[in-house]
Amino acid sequence: MTKQTRFENTWRFAVQRVRVLLLHPLFWGITVFGNIIVAVASFAFYAAEAGANPTVDEPFDAIWWAMSTVTTVGYGDIVPATFWGRIVAMITMIIGSAIFWSYTALFGSILLEKEIEKLEKEVRGLGVKARRH
């Protein structure tokens, strides 16, 4: 097999797996849930921090903070200054991590889907053979 053929096969595999991912309802569920969390966290953070935190001047500051927190980047340019702002931050961090883990598990399962199916068939076959003996 040539390098070109291997590249084409790899490219086809990647495109096909991305297509499967984009058509998977769980992908869209996680994505919608994540965006709702960003919106709710932004609103709650702005409500808690506006006026009390000098780094939160406008609603977009809260959106920036929520995006960097939920994606676990956490730039640190906007830090909660109030008790309720910190509570919102802790909840957002936990949910952001859970969303990241969910995406990782979904991506992994989609990438390994065919191999898992093969293994399941082999295990079923072994079970049938074991029952016969």
Side-chain angles (χ1 to χ4, degrees):
M1 186 183 305
T2 66
K3 279 186 177 182
Q4 181 67 28
T5 305
R6 278 194 304 249
F7 175 77
E8 288 169 0
N9 288 343
T10 302
W11 182 249
R12 256 188 244 111
F13 173 79
V15 168
Q16 194 260 343
R17 295 287 90 196
V18 167
R19 185 178 306 126
V20 168
L21 175 68
L22 292 176
L23 294 175
H24 201 289
L26 191 54
F27 171 78
W28 292 107
I30 295 168
T31 301
V32 168
F33 178 71
N35 283 300
I36 290 170
I37 292 303
V38 168
V40 170
S42 298
F43 177 79
F45 189 77
Y46 187 73
E49 297 288 315
N53 189 334
T55 60
V56 181
D57 295 328
E58 59 186 75
F60 187 76
D61 293 332
I63 295 169
W64 170 260
W65 170 86
M67 286 295 293
S68 67
T69 301
V70 83
T71 58
T72 69
V73 172
Y75 284 109
D77 55 343
I78 299 175
V79 179
T82 67
F83 172 80
W84 289 111
R86 290 181 181 141
I87 295 296
V88 170
M90 289 186 288
I91 293 168
T92 305
M93 288 176 216
I94 291 167
I95 293 173
S97 294
I99 290 169
F100 177 74
W101 301 332
S102 299
Y103 272 129
T104 302
L106 180 62
F107 294 166
S109 70
I110 286 174
L111 281 174
L112 298 173
E113 187 174 50
K114 300 229 186 262
E115 287 75 15
I116 291 170
E117 288 172 8
K118 277 192 251 179
L119 283 173
E120 285 174 346
K121 285 179 186 177
E122 286 180 32
V123 169
R124 275 190 231 114
L126 291 173
V128 169
K129 285 181 186 177
R131 278 184 253 138
R132 285 188 208 156
H133 296 308

